């Protein structure tokens, strides 16, 4: 695999994190530190999300939830769901 390192100024841009567990929490903190506006979508949300400036949607993430996002993070505990969300995100254009 060939990788490209990039620095992007995405502050103020919308991001969606699918998943509400510890991995999603770490990824959300990283996005917030970069200045993104984060929406977390998951049926169950780690308690620490309540301390963060995020929008929380309590349900399973759907492809329509990704619309308008500049960054999407698939961090559910289901690899098949993550794959479907990644495919949907690639079709819509966010990172």
């Amino acid at each position: 695999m060939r990788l490209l390192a990039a620095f992007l100024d995405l502050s103020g841009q919308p991001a969606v994190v699918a998943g509400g567990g510890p991995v999603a929490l770490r990824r959300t903190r990283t996005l917030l530190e970069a200045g993104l506006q984060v929406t977390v979508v998951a049926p169950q949300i780690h308690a620490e999300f309540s301390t963060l400036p995020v929008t929380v949607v309590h349900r399973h993430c759907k492809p329509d939830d990704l619309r308008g996002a500049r960054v999407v993070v698939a961090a559910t505990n289901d690899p098949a769901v993550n794959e479907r969300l990644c495919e949907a995100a690639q079709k819509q254009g966010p990172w």
Side-chain angles (χ1 to χ4, degrees), residues 2-50:
R2 295 188 175 163
L3 302 175
L4 171 67
F7 293 93
L8 305 170
D9 179 4
L10 295 172
S11 55
Q13 297 295 312
V16 173
V17 175
V23 172
L25 183 60
R26 284 194 311 272
R27 301 294 184 257
T28 297
R29 286 186 174 131
T30 299
L31 295 173
L32 289 171
E33 288 172 8
L36 283 93
Q37 302 295 315
V38 180
T39 299
V40 178
V41 185
Q44 296 179 0
I45 304 291
H46 193 288
E48 288 184 48
F49 277 104
S50 66

Side-chain angles (χ1 to χ4, degrees), residues 39-69:
T39 299
V40 178
V41 185
Q44 296 179 0
I45 304 291
H46 193 288
E48 288 184 48
F49 277 104
S50 66
T51 67
L52 301 176
V54 299
T55 300
V56 174
V57 178
H58 291 276
R59 62 172 166 69
H60 292 282
C61 191
K62 303 179 290 191
D64 283 348
D65 294 323
L66 312 181
R67 223 174 251 138

Side-chain angles (χ1 to χ4, degrees), residues 70-91:
R70 298 283 290 159
V71 175
V72 173
V73 175
T76 75
N77 61 0
D78 185 335
V81 170
N82 290 343
E83 182 65 29
R84 282 194 304 273
L85 291 172
C86 286
E87 288 172 3
Q90 288 173 346
K91 289 178 184 174

